[in-house]
Amino acid sequence: MFCTQCGSPLPEAANFCPTCGAAADADGPAANPSGSATGALDQALLDELEEVDELPTLPPGTALLAVVRGPNAGSRYLLDRDRTEIGRHPDSHVYLDDVTVSRHHARVDREEEGFTLYDLGSLNGTYLGAERVERRELRPADEVQVGRFKLLFVRGSA
């Protein structure tokens, strides 16, 4: 069991997290009653990498993000706007419902020369491959990590 507030391991019979003091309910890990804080990322909680079924061939100038790891594995999000927001907020274009994702975590901007990924000051950061990034141009087959989710960037050929 892990604390959903800070991500620390919890002893079996814990009533409170020994690291952050968050209350644990009788049936599981410490709860985050407000749902407002972003939980710490624990790499051990990541799901196994999912195989991505056949990806569609996209027309030039279009792209998508395919979830290859995480609770939404298999989901695909078309990047059909000039600005696509990624986060835990229900109004996000790419809605990733997990405490390891900030409400307004990242965004992808469609620009003349391609697509650019921006971190929006998220607690756990936004990663391209294994590197934490603030701003980076996306290339085909780039792997973007947002909290527990890994997303594959797929772009239409020119």
Side-chain angles (χ1 to χ4, degrees):
M1 276 193 296
F2 294 90
C3 175
T4 57
Q5 183 71 29
C6 71
S8 297
L10 291 177
E12 276 301 311
N15 291 323
F16 296 94
C17 174
T19 304
C20 71
D25 61 18
D27 298 325
N32 180 3
S34 69
S36 63
T38 300
L41 177 63
D42 185 338
Q43 290 294 330
L45 294 177
L46 289 173
D47 302 322
E48 290 299 313
L49 189 64
E50 295 284 330
E51 288 295 319
V52 178
D53 292 334
E54 293 181 34
L55 292 170
T57 302
L58 299 172
T62 62
L64 66 80
L65 289 172
V67 180
V68 295
R69 180 183 288 167
N72 296 16
S75 299
R76 299 172 186 180
Y77 300 93
L78 188 61
L79 302 177
D80 57 353
R81 299 172 163 81
D82 287 337
R83 177 169 285 177
T84 302
E85 296 180 14
I86 303 168
R88 190 169 38 97
H89 192 281
D91 292 338
S92 297
H93 303 118
V94 178
Y95 176 58
L96 303 175
D97 188 19
D98 189 81
V99 296
T100 61
V101 178
S102 297
R103 282 194 167 100
H104 304 283
H105 198 103
R107 77 170 192 259
V108 176
D109 288 357
R110 181 172 52 187
E111 300 167 347
E112 273 186 45
E113 59 278 352
F115 292 82
T116 304
L117 174 69
Y118 294 87
D119 180 79
L120 300 178
S122 64
L123 179 64
N124 288 324
T126 301
Y127 292 81
L128 193 56
E131 182 183 350
R132 188 171 182 161
V133 297
E134 298 297 319
R135 177 187 183 278
R136 188 67 50 90
E137 183 177 332
L138 290 169
R139 293 183 172 80
D142 273 347
E143 191 175 75
V144 177
Q145 183 169 337
V146 175
R148 291 178 53 192
F149 298 85
K150 286 205 176 187
L151 305 109
L152 180 67
F153 176 71
V154 180
R155 183 172 178 187
S157 56

